[in-house]
Amino acid sequence: MVFSIFAFIHVLLNLMAIGAGATVLFGLLAGKFLRKWSVRFLEASLLTSITSFNVSAYHLRPAEEASMLSVYVAGAAILAWRRYQLAGVWSSVFAATATIILYLNVFVAVAHAFGNIGALKALSTTHSINTLLVMQLLVAVLFVVLGTFAIRRFHPKPTHSF
């Protein structure tokens, strides 16, 4: 019972992170820095990463490895934003890291969906090709394209306020 509540909270946080991250990414694609959405995105992503770890597991699953990576990448995003004020190359670092964090959140969501939703679970086990792998590859390609455009378009004026 407690584990299912914990899992529900994790999924809810991940969906919030994906929604806020999509908003941030669309802002980056438009060349705009959405400060409040960025804060919410990073907060929700970090909370999602923290809640992804199963205390009773003896080895890391791919979703937990993605969550660990997300924490490190979020550190780089925060450094680019807060320490270097998105100046120069740091705007590209922020755009790249925000895209990677969003990708990792979507990666985890797709993995959970294929593991827990009956129709997707059946789809991935009845075909000769690994449907989950194909879906993850398509998601990765989409985020590489979006990230490339975000890096090229996002160059805000540096701010000097915290």
Side-chain angles (χ1 to χ4, degrees):
M1 173 74 173
V2 172
F3 182 72
S4 63
I5 292 171
F6 194 67
F8 175 76
I9 291 170
H10 170 71
V11 169
L12 187 62
L13 286 168
N14 196 26
L15 292 175
M16 290 170 48
I18 290 170
T23 303
V24 169
L25 181 58
F26 288 127
L28 296 174
L29 290 169
K32 298 177 183 174
F33 179 61
L34 305 175
R35 181 183 202 92
K36 289 182 182 179
W37 281 104
S38 296
V39 169
R40 298 299 166 249
F41 168 54
L42 292 171
E43 287 174 344
S45 293
L46 288 171
L47 287 172
T48 299
S49 296
I50 291 167
T51 60
S52 73
F53 296 101
N54 181 358
V55 220
S56 63
Y58 293 104
H59 66 283
L60 290 177
R61 297 170 300 186
E64 292 170 336
E65 292 171 353
S67 293
M68 286 178 62
L69 180 59
S70 180
V71 170
Y72 292 120
V73 176
I78 293 167
L79 184 69
W81 174 15
R82 304 303 280 182
R83 171 68 175 98
Y84 295 106
Q85 308 293 313
L86 304 174
V89 72
W90 292 102
S91 63
S92 296
V93 170
F94 183 82
T97 54
T99 304
I100 292 168
I101 295 166
L102 180 57
Y103 163 72
L104 291 170
N105 287 332
V106 172
F107 173 88
V108 169
V110 169
H112 284 306
F114 272 85
N116 297 314
I117 297 175
L120 292 176
K121 195 174 194 176
L123 180 67
S124 67
T125 57
T126 58
H127 289 56
S128 61
I129 60 169
N130 188 337
T131 310
L132 173 60
L133 184 62
V134 170
M135 182 59 73
Q136 293 290 25
L137 180 63
L138 291 173
V139 169
V141 168
L142 173 68
F143 276 95
V144 166
V145 171
L146 289 173
T148 302
F149 282 118
I151 290 167
R152 289 182 181 173
R153 293 182 179 175
F154 181 63
H155 297 289
K157 302 259 189 281
T159 61
H160 297 289
S161 64
F162 287 103

